[in-house]
Amino acid sequence: MTTAASSEGGSRTMRRRLRETSCPTCGHPWEEHPGAPTSTSAVCDECVFDRDHEQAATGATLCRAVVPTALFRRAQPEPARPTLCRDRFVRVAARVVEVVLDAWP
């Protein structure tokens, strides 16, 4: 996979994550909130749409929640197998320490 393809896939994943998770304040998808790549305003775009089309509840305020930074982090997969001898040694040593400490009274 090329670098451009992997970065494109990562941005698709992030956009899907923003689309599928909702703001706890207003209930709209995070992709419509400030901080999202598609949003250019300081308030939730869906709240603005609801207000402009008279679909918002009476007295409802515009949501100003910003997209949490945790939604932008990429998941780092665990390597399937050690790539270096040093990595294998560190894993074995850590497992030995874990087993010894579990057996310690």
Side-chain angles (χ1 to χ4, degrees), residues 28-79:
H28 293 127
W30 279 119
E31 78 173 338
E32 302 295 337
H33 284 74
T38 57
S39 180
T40 58
S41 66
V43 295
C44 172
D45 294 335
E46 283 291 323
C47 288
V48 172
F49 179 87
D50 289 348
R51 181 197 63 197
D52 292 346
H53 292 89
E54 299 175 359
Q55 296 174 355
T58 305
T61 60
L62 297 177
C63 177
R64 295 186 180 277
V66 178
V67 178
T69 56
L71 292 176
F72 291 112
R73 291 193 198 116
R74 291 183 77 175
Q76 297 298 325
E78 185 73 23

Side-chain angles (χ1 to χ4, degrees), residues 75-104:
Q76 297 298 325
E78 185 73 23
R81 56 190 173 116
T83 55
L84 300 172
C85 182
R86 180 184 66 220
D87 293 339
R88 183 171 293 144
F89 175 76
V90 168
R91 286 183 183 200
V92 169
R95 180 69 181 137
V96 167
V97 168
E98 183 181 338
V99 168
V100 169
L101 289 177
D102 284 345
W104 200 271

